[in-house]
mmCIF file of all heavy atoms in Angstrom:
data_model
loop_
_atom_site.group_PDB
_atom_site.id
_atom_site.type_symbol
_atom_site.label_atom_id
_atom_site.label_comp_id
_atom_site.label_asym_id
_atom_site.label_seq_id
_atom_site.Cartn_x
_atom_site.Cartn_y
_atom_site.Cartn_z
ATOM 1 N N ASP K 229 21.958 11.660 5.466
ATOM 2 C CA ASP K 229 21.870 13.013 4.909
ATOM 3 C C ASP K 229 20.464 13.575 4.985
ATOM 4 O O ASP K 229 20.152 14.586 4.356
ATOM 5 C CB ASP K 229 22.362 13.028 3.462
ATOM 6 C CG ASP K 229 21.536 12.128 2.550
ATOM 7 O OD1 ASP K 229 20.587 11.477 3.053
ATOM 8 O OD2 ASP K 229 21.824 12.075 1.340
ATOM 9 N N ASN K 230 19.595 12.887 5.732
ATOM 10 C CA ASN K 230 18.207 13.309 5.989
ATOM 11 C C ASN K 230 17.278 13.107 4.793
ATOM 12 O O ASN K 230 16.130 13.546 4.822
ATOM 13 C CB ASN K 230 18.129 14.773 6.451
ATOM 14 C CG ASN K 230 16.957 15.010 7.384
ATOM 15 O OD1 ASN K 230 16.634 14.163 8.225
ATOM 16 N ND2 ASN K 230 16.307 16.152 7.256
ATOM 17 N N THR K 231 17.736 12.435 3.750
ATOM 18 C CA THR K 231 16.847 12.096 2.642
ATOM 19 C C THR K 231 16.047 10.854 3.010
ATOM 20 O O THR K 231 16.429 10.086 3.898
ATOM 21 C CB THR K 231 17.637 11.817 1.348
ATOM 22 O OG1 THR K 231 18.559 10.737 1.586
ATOM 23 C CG2 THR K 231 18.399 13.056 0.908
ATOM 24 N N ILE K 232 14.922 10.648 2.340
ATOM 25 C CA ILE K 232 14.073 9.498 2.602
ATOM 26 C C ILE K 232 14.624 8.280 1.867
ATOM 27 O O ILE K 232 14.696 8.259 0.639
ATOM 28 C CB ILE K 232 12.619 9.759 2.157
ATOM 29 C CG1 ILE K 232 12.065 11.001 2.849
ATOM 30 C CG2 ILE K 232 11.746 8.537 2.449
ATOM 31 C CD1 ILE K 232 11.996 10.896 4.356
ATOM 32 N N ALA K 233 15.001 7.258 2.634
ATOM 33 C CA ALA K 233 15.536 6.033 2.043
ATOM 34 C C ALA K 233 14.441 5.003 1.808
ATOM 35 O O ALA K 233 14.549 4.169 0.909
ATOM 36 C CB ALA K 233 16.625 5.444 2.939
ATOM 37 N N TYR K 234 13.413 5.036 2.627
ATOM 38 C CA TYR K 234 12.297 4.088 2.502
ATOM 39 C C TYR K 234 11.076 4.731 3.156
ATOM 40 O O TYR K 234 11.184 5.374 4.198
ATOM 41 C CB TYR K 234 12.629 2.773 3.200
ATOM 42 C CG TYR K 234 11.866 1.580 2.644
ATOM 43 C CD1 TYR K 234 12.526 0.552 1.967
ATOM 44 C CD2 TYR K 234 10.484 1.477 2.780
ATOM 45 C CE1 TYR K 234 11.835 -0.535 1.444
ATOM 46 C CE2 TYR K 234 9.795 0.401 2.261
ATOM 47 C CZ TYR K 234 10.474 -0.604 1.600
ATOM 48 O OH TYR K 234 9.785 -1.673 1.082
ATOM 49 N N GLU K 235 9.914 4.513 2.520
ATOM 50 C CA GLU K 235 8.715 5.165 3.058
ATOM 51 C C GLU K 235 7.459 4.466 2.576
ATOM 52 O O GLU K 235 7.349 4.078 1.405
ATOM 53 C CB GLU K 235 8.704 6.624 2.608
ATOM 54 C CG GLU K 235 7.532 7.442 3.083
ATOM 55 C CD GLU K 235 7.665 8.891 2.662
ATOM 56 O OE1 GLU K 235 7.367 9.188 1.481
ATOM 57 O OE2 GLU K 235 8.087 9.723 3.493
ATOM 58 N N ILE K 236 6.529 4.273 3.485
ATOM 59 C CA ILE K 236 5.165 3.893 3.149
ATOM 60 C C ILE K 236 4.245 4.829 3.917
ATOM 61 O O ILE K 236 4.214 4.822 5.141
ATOM 62 C CB ILE K 236 4.830 2.449 3.531
ATOM 63 C CG1 ILE K 236 5.721 1.444 2.806
ATOM 64 C CG2 ILE K 236 3.360 2.140 3.206
ATOM 65 C CD1 ILE K 236 5.439 0.003 3.189
ATOM 66 N N LEU K 237 3.528 5.648 3.181
ATOM 67 C CA LEU K 237 2.534 6.538 3.778
ATOM 68 C C LEU K 237 1.189 6.249 3.134
ATOM 69 O O LEU K 237 1.108 6.066 1.920
ATOM 70 C CB LEU K 237 2.880 8.015 3.527
ATOM 71 C CG LEU K 237 4.270 8.534 3.855
ATOM 72 C CD1 LEU K 237 4.387 10.000 3.447
ATOM 73 C CD2 LEU K 237 4.561 8.379 5.345
ATOM 74 N N PHE K 238 0.126 6.218 3.927
ATOM 75 C CA PHE K 238 -1.201 6.220 3.319
ATOM 76 C C PHE K 238 -2.197 6.918 4.228
ATOM 77 O O PHE K 238 -2.036 6.978 5.437
ATOM 78 C CB PHE K 238 -1.678 4.815 2.925
ATOM 79 C CG PHE K 238 -2.069 3.887 4.051
ATOM 80 C CD1 PHE K 238 -3.202 4.107 4.822
ATOM 81 C CD2 PHE K 238 -1.322 2.746 4.311
ATOM 82 C CE1 PHE K 238 -3.573 3.243 5.833
ATOM 83 C CE2 PHE K 238 -1.683 1.866 5.316
ATOM 84 C CZ PHE K 238 -2.816 2.120 6.084
ATOM 85 N N ASP K 239 -3.214 7.478 3.569
ATOM 86 C CA ASP K 239 -4.316 8.136 4.264
ATOM 87 C C ASP K 239 -5.623 7.665 3.664
ATOM 88 O O ASP K 239 -5.772 7.597 2.436
ATOM 89 C CB ASP K 239 -4.202 9.659 4.144
ATOM 90 C CG ASP K 239 -3.098 10.233 5.002
ATOM 91 O OD1 ASP K 239 -3.274 10.282 6.226
ATOM 92 O OD2 ASP K 239 -2.048 10.625 4.438
ATOM 93 N N ILE K 240 -6.564 7.335 4.546
ATOM 94 C CA ILE K 240 -7.890 6.865 4.146
ATOM 95 C C ILE K 240 -8.898 7.989 4.352
ATOM 96 O O ILE K 240 -8.953 8.596 5.433
ATOM 97 C CB ILE K 240 -8.321 5.643 4.988
ATOM 98 C CG1 ILE K 240 -7.255 4.545 4.936
ATOM 99 C CG2 ILE K 240 -9.676 5.120 4.522
ATOM 100 C CD1 ILE K 240 -6.989 3.990 3.569
ATOM 101 N N THR K 241 -9.687 8.285 3.322
ATOM 102 C CA THR K 241 -10.675 9.356 3.402
ATOM 103 C C THR K 241 -11.974 8.894 2.741
ATOM 104 O O THR K 241 -12.053 7.798 2.198
ATOM 105 C CB THR K 241 -10.172 10.623 2.691
ATOM 106 O OG1 THR K 241 -9.875 10.321 1.319
ATOM 107 C CG2 THR K 241 -8.911 11.167 3.359
ATOM 108 N N ALA K 242 -12.991 9.767 2.791
ATOM 109 C CA ALA K 242 -14.295 9.507 2.152
ATOM 110 C C ALA K 242 -14.830 8.131 2.514
ATOM 111 O O ALA K 242 -15.299 7.383 1.649
ATOM 112 C CB ALA K 242 -14.190 9.666 0.635
ATOM 113 N N ILE K 243 -14.781 7.806 3.777
ATOM 114 C CA ILE K 243 -15.172 6.472 4.237
ATOM 115 C C ILE K 243 -16.673 6.266 4.050
ATOM 116 O O ILE K 243 -17.497 7.032 4.555
ATOM 117 C CB ILE K 243 -14.771 6.284 5.702
ATOM 118 C CG1 ILE K 243 -13.242 6.394 5.818
ATOM 119 C CG2 ILE K 243 -15.247 4.948 6.247
ATOM 120 C CD1 ILE K 243 -12.759 6.772 7.181
ATOM 121 N N ASN K 244 -17.028 5.230 3.287
ATOM 122 C CA ASN K 244 -18.428 4.873 3.003
ATOM 123 C C ASN K 244 -19.218 6.014 2.376
ATOM 124 O O ASN K 244 -20.447 6.083 2.513
ATOM 125 C CB ASN K 244 -19.126 4.387 4.282
ATOM 126 C CG ASN K 244 -18.524 3.097 4.813
ATOM 127 O OD1 ASN K 244 -17.866 2.351 4.089
ATOM 128 N ND2 ASN K 244 -18.745 2.834 6.098
ATOM 129 N N ALA K 245 -18.531 6.906 1.671
ATOM 130 C CA ALA K 245 -19.213 8.039 1.038
ATOM 131 C C ALA K 245 -20.058 7.570 -0.141
ATOM 132 O O ALA K 245 -19.645 6.708 -0.923
ATOM 133 C CB ALA K 245 -18.195 9.065 0.561
ATOM 134 N N ALA K 246 -21.234 8.157 -0.288
ATOM 135 C CA ALA K 246 -22.135 7.776 -1.374
ATOM 136 C C ALA K 246 -21.541 8.090 -2.741
ATOM 137 O O ALA K 246 -21.893 7.470 -3.741
ATOM 138 C CB ALA K 246 -23.476 8.485 -1.197
ATOM 139 N N SER K 247 -20.626 9.058 -2.794
ATOM 140 C CA SER K 247 -20.025 9.459 -4.065
ATOM 141 C C SER K 247 -18.938 8.505 -4.548
ATOM 142 O O SER K 247 -18.497 8.607 -5.692
ATOM 143 C CB SER K 247 -19.434 10.870 -3.934
ATOM 144 O OG SER K 247 -18.459 10.909 -2.892
ATOM 145 N N ASN K 248 -18.503 7.585 -3.699
ATOM 146 C CA ASN K 248 -17.485 6.613 -4.125
ATOM 147 C C ASN K 248 -18.082 5.677 -5.169
ATOM 148 O O ASN K 248 -19.067 4.984 -4.899
ATOM 149 C CB ASN K 248 -16.984 5.805 -2.926
ATOM 150 C CG ASN K 248 -16.208 6.646 -1.933
ATOM 151 O OD1 ASN K 248 -15.712 7.717 -2.276
ATOM 152 N ND2 ASN K 248 -16.092 6.169 -0.705
ATOM 153 N N ASN K 249 -17.474 5.633 -6.331
ATOM 154 C CA ASN K 249 -18.034 4.841 -7.416
ATOM 155 C C ASN K 249 -16.929 4.315 -8.317
ATOM 156 O O ASN K 249 -15.969 5.035 -8.620
ATOM 157 C CB ASN K 249 -19.010 5.686 -8.253
ATOM 158 C CG ASN K 249 -19.630 4.893 -9.379
ATOM 159 O OD1 ASN K 249 -20.295 3.881 -9.162
ATOM 160 N ND2 ASN K 249 -19.408 5.348 -10.607
ATOM 161 N N VAL K 250 -17.039 3.064 -8.731
ATOM 162 C CA VAL K 250 -16.106 2.464 -9.680
ATOM 163 C C VAL K 250 -16.929 1.781 -10.761
ATOM 164 O O VAL K 250 -17.810 0.970 -10.453
ATOM 165 C CB VAL K 250 -15.172 1.440 -9.008
ATOM 166 C CG1 VAL K 250 -14.282 0.767 -10.067
ATOM 167 C CG2 VAL K 250 -14.326 2.105 -7.932
ATOM 168 N N ALA K 251 -16.651 2.115 -12.014
ATOM 169 C CA ALA K 251 -17.387 1.526 -13.138
ATOM 170 C C ALA K 251 -16.399 1.085 -14.203
ATOM 171 O O ALA K 251 -15.329 1.667 -14.383
ATOM 172 C CB ALA K 251 -18.369 2.541 -13.711
ATOM 173 N N ALA K 252 -16.757 0.035 -14.937
ATOM 174 C CA ALA K 252 -15.919 -0.449 -16.036
ATOM 175 C C ALA K 252 -15.879 0.611 -17.144
ATOM 176 O O ALA K 252 -16.881 1.272 -17.431
ATOM 177 C CB ALA K 252 -16.469 -1.746 -16.583
ATOM 178 N N PRO K 253 -14.720 0.816 -17.760
ATOM 179 C CA PRO K 253 -14.625 1.811 -18.843
ATOM 180 C C PRO K 253 -15.350 1.333 -20.092
ATOM 181 O O PRO K 253 -15.614 0.137 -20.269
ATOM 182 C CB PRO K 253 -13.109 1.903 -19.088
ATOM 183 C CG PRO K 253 -12.586 0.557 -18.686
ATOM 184 C CD PRO K 253 -13.441 0.119 -17.520
ATOM 185 N N THR K 254 -15.666 2.269 -20.959
ATOM 186 C CA THR K 254 -16.377 1.935 -22.198
ATOM 187 C C THR K 254 -15.440 1.924 -23.406
ATOM 188 O O THR K 254 -15.721 1.233 -24.396
ATOM 189 C CB THR K 254 -17.505 2.930 -22.453
ATOM 190 O OG1 THR K 254 -16.972 4.269 -22.468
ATOM 191 C CG2 THR K 254 -18.566 2.833 -21.358
#
Side-chain angles (χ1 to χ4, degrees):
D229 61 359
N230 211 38
T231 59
I232 303 298
Y234 205 113
E235 180 176 79
I236 299 179
L237 309 177
F238 72 69
D239 287 287
I240 306 298
T241 58
I243 298 157
N244 295 339
S247 58
N248 293 339
N249 181 59
V250 176
T254 55

